[in-house]
Amino acid sequence: MNKLKLIIRREFIAKVRNKSFIMMTFLSPIILVGMGFLIYFLTQKNDEKIKEIVYVDNSGMFSKEDFRDTKTIKYIDYSALGVALTKKKVEEGNYYGALLIPKQDSLELLAKSIEFYSKDSPGMSVISSLENKIEQKIRNEKLNSFGIDLEKIKASKINTDIKMLNFSGEESSKLINGLKIGVGAISGYLLMMFVIIYGSSVMRSVIEEKTSRIIEIIVSSVKPFQLMLGKILGNASAGLLQFLIWGIIIFVISTVASAVFGVDMAEMQSARIPAEQMDAVKQATAGDKGQLIIQEILKLPLLKMFVLFIFYFLGGFMLYSSLFAAVGAAVDNETDTQQFMLPIMLPLILGVYVGFATVINDPHGSIAVLFSHIPFTSPIVMLMRVPFGVSWTELIISMTLLLVTFVFMVWLAAKIYRVGILMYGKKPTYKDLYKWLKYKG
């Protein structure tokens, strides 16, 4: 145990004293927050540009009321100029585009014969907005032709608001599910990034010591199993410290920047959300519902989520790091690692995709439950499921399987490690790895 502690301490100190580690610890959050402000600034600037769209209505059906100006789009009626002259003026001028509405004998033909001309490819949001305006107008005309009173249709519309309650009678919020999805998705994504960054760091550390022949001196006094486990735990500790510092710096910078520059952080997050969705969010959070959401957040098992996050975070990292360490011991340089990386990365990627595809739609479905028990995917999928409430029975099964698999994989990887760490000048194959696993002693 003393030797293991020394190895962990050595790996931790070597990692945190590294200049690139120190630079990235303080630069990464600054760059991340800076990119967020830059995206916000560019989005605001992009929205300030007014798009001028001219339209020629030969059908006589549309009016200025149907093409109302917005903050970013201004509509100009060029019906009097005709199609040919309008197309020429738009092509020579600085207009965004020209909408041409021909005269047709039927509404069906009219809906399929409208054209939009522009110098550059128009944005999909602009085209979708135009299509919605035209569809609404043609639909109203169609209803009028059937003798249906539009005012009665408008009066018949009723907004439905389904209240969400549990069996004890406590009211919940519709937005809380989105919050749970967000927390789970961020947790799973962070774990994947953590494994990729620090798992590769463990592998590179092993390769460097192997190629410098320092490892030959180290293994004379330390068992390969202890050396590999110490490297994994040392790098995990350094990684957690870096993540903690990142979180503190990002919070401080965001708070100070929003206070100094008067930027609303919630507005930054919603800068790229369509106006219709934002209206729905504002309506959902109006009145007492904002307070309800806060209460709902406090009802989440925050302590349980934090403890499980740490467990699966470390469990998943150490499981994959043992494989990275085994690969590092088997090869002489990073180029030779490529053939072994795909089998390691596939379960990790699968966990992310399965999590997003199944947990969002049905967090307690059979597929989500199955992959939250499989050790190679459970750290990601289970982290996504935890905010939705998972029974302790499921958690104990999942956690036990992860621990058992981790111990087994460390034992298995150590068998490759103890042979491969002293092998030089030979590019290993999967057949060689299998032989190393069968070696005794």
Side-chain angles (χ1 to χ4, degrees):
M1 286 301 294
N2 288 332
K3 291 179 180 179
L4 181 60
K5 289 179 182 178
L6 286 172
I7 296 167
I8 294 172
R9 184 172 179 272
R10 173 184 173 274
E11 287 294 323
F12 177 79
I13 292 174
K15 188 72 178 176
V16 298
R17 284 183 177 177
N18 188 284
K19 289 183 179 179
S20 61
F21 179 89
I22 296 172
M23 288 180 62
M24 293 309 298
T25 298
F26 293 98
L27 284 179
S28 294
I30 295 173
I31 293 171
L32 183 63
V33 174
M35 287 293 292
F37 277 99
L38 178 62
I39 292 171
Y40 172 74
F41 174 76
L42 294 176
T43 303
Q44 294 295 101
K45 284 295 180 184
N46 185 62
D47 289 341
E48 289 176 2
K49 183 181 179 181
I50 303 297
K51 304 178 184 69
E52 290 188 332
I53 297 177
V54 303
Y55 64 92
V56 176
D57 177 25
N58 289 332
S59 67
M61 185 186 302
F62 297 85
S63 66
K64 185 63 178 175
E65 280 296 311
D66 299 309
F67 295 106
R68 293 180 180 177
D69 295 341
T70 65
K71 290 181 179 180
T72 58
I73 300 177
K74 182 180 180 182
Y75 295 97
I76 306 172
D77 187 359
Y78 273 18
S79 300
L81 295 179
V83 174
L85 187 56
T86 297
K87 288 170 67 175
K88 184 178 179 182
K89 286 181 70 67
V90 170
E91 188 174 1
E92 293 175 352
N94 294 321
Y95 297 99
Y96 187 78
L99 181 69
L100 306 181
I101 306 171
K103 184 177 181 180
Q104 294 290 355
D105 295 331
S106 69
L107 295 174
E108 287 77 9
L109 287 174
L110 176 62
K112 297 181 182 299
S113 59
I114 297 173
E115 299 172 339
F116 185 84
Y117 289 86
S118 61
K119 296 176 185 177
D120 303 315
S121 297
M124 293 304 298
S125 60
V126 174
I127 296 299
S128 296
S129 176
L130 290 172
E131 287 177 342
N132 290 335
K133 292 177 186 295
I134 293 168
E135 284 175 5
Q136 182 67 32
K137 183 65 176 181
I138 293 177
R139 176 177 173 274
N140 290 343
E141 289 295 323
K142 189 81 171 178
L143 291 172
N144 280 327
S145 68
F146 292 151
I148 298 174
D149 191 345
L150 294 179
E151 293 301 321
K152 289 183 179 180
I153 292 179
K154 291 179 182 178
S156 67
K157 289 183 179 180
I158 299 177
N159 292 324
T160 302
D161 184 11
I162 299 176
K163 292 184 178 179
M164 298 171 60
L165 304 97
N166 58 25
F167 286 103
S168 63
E170 295 178 350
E171 188 175 353
S172 180
S173 167
K174 298 185 183 84
L175 292 180
I176 197 65
N177 284 339
L179 177 67
K180 292 177 180 178
I181 291 170
V183 170
I186 291 171
S187 300
Y189 181 76
L190 283 176
L191 175 60
M192 184 185 71
M193 294 302 297
F194 191 85
V195 169
I196 292 173
I197 295 171
Y198 292 98
S200 300
S201 176
V202 171
M203 183 180 68
R204 282 193 298 270
S205 175
V206 173
I207 294 173
E208 287 173 6
E209 290 183 351
K210 179 180 177 179
T211 53
S212 65
R213 301 297 180 94
I214 296 174
I215 200 71
E216 295 178 3
I217 301 172
I218 297 175
V219 295
S220 63
S221 58
V222 180
K223 292 181 180 179
F225 178 85
Q226 288 179 314
L227 181 60
M228 186 179 70
L229 190 59
K231 284 183 173 294
I232 293 171
L233 295 176
N235 276 272
S237 302
L240 283 175
L241 175 64
Q242 190 173 53
F243 265 60
L244 178 63
I245 295 172
W246 282 353
I248 294 171
I249 292 176
I250 289 174
F251 175 77
V252 171
I253 292 176
S254 301
T255 304
V256 172
S258 61
V260 173
F261 297 103
V263 178
D264 188 353
M265 299 307 294
E267 187 181 347
M268 279 185 60
Q269 294 296 326
S270 62
R272 289 169 288 175
I273 298 177
E276 294 81 4
Q277 294 184 22
M278 281 306 302
D279 290 340
V281 171
K282 289 177 181 177
Q283 187 177 8
T285 56
D288 297 332
K289 298 212 173 177
Q291 184 66 26
L292 180 63
I293 292 172
I294 295 174
Q295 293 175 359
E296 196 70 29
I297 292 172
L298 295 176
K299 289 178 185 177
L300 288 173
L302 298 177
L303 180 60
K304 178 182 176 182
M305 288 167 58
F306 176 76
V307 172
L308 291 174
F309 177 80
I310 296 297
F311 175 85
Y312 281 103
F313 211 69
L314 291 176
F317 169 74
M318 290 189 289
L319 174 63
Y320 279 96
S321 288
S322 63
L323 301 178
F324 277 106
V327 170
V331 301
D332 292 336
N333 54 72
E334 284 195 53
T335 305
D336 295 339
T337 64
Q338 302 306 314
Q339 60 177 322
F340 302 113
M341 292 301 291
L342 184 61
I344 296 175
M345 297 303 296
L346 276 178
L348 194 64
I349 297 170
L350 179 64
V352 173
Y353 279 102
V354 168
F356 277 102
T358 62
V359 176
I360 290 175
N361 294 322
D362 187 4
H364 302 294
S366 57
I367 301 298
V369 172
L370 174 64
F371 278 89
S372 64
H373 289 167
I374 297 174
F376 289 97
T377 57
S378 65
I380 292 176
V381 180
M382 186 59 86
L383 281 181
M384 291 185 176
R385 290 187 61 213
V386 165
F388 292 93
V390 180
S391 67
W392 277 109
T393 304
E394 280 192 56
L395 286 170
I396 290 171
I397 293 172
S398 176
M399 294 166 76
T400 303
L401 287 173
L402 180 59
L403 282 174
V404 171
T405 305
F406 162 65
V407 173
F408 175 73
M409 291 308 301
V410 170
W411 173 80
L412 205 64
K415 299 191 74 169
I416 297 174
Y417 190 91
R418 67 179 182 177
V419 178
I421 203 71
L422 299 175
M423 299 287 288
Y424 302 97
K426 184 179 184 297
K427 187 175 181 179
T429 63
Y430 284 103
K431 186 177 180 180
D432 292 326
L433 297 184
Y434 179 70
K435 287 181 180 179
W436 297 350
L437 288 172
K438 293 172 67 177
Y439 285 167
K440 294 181 180 180

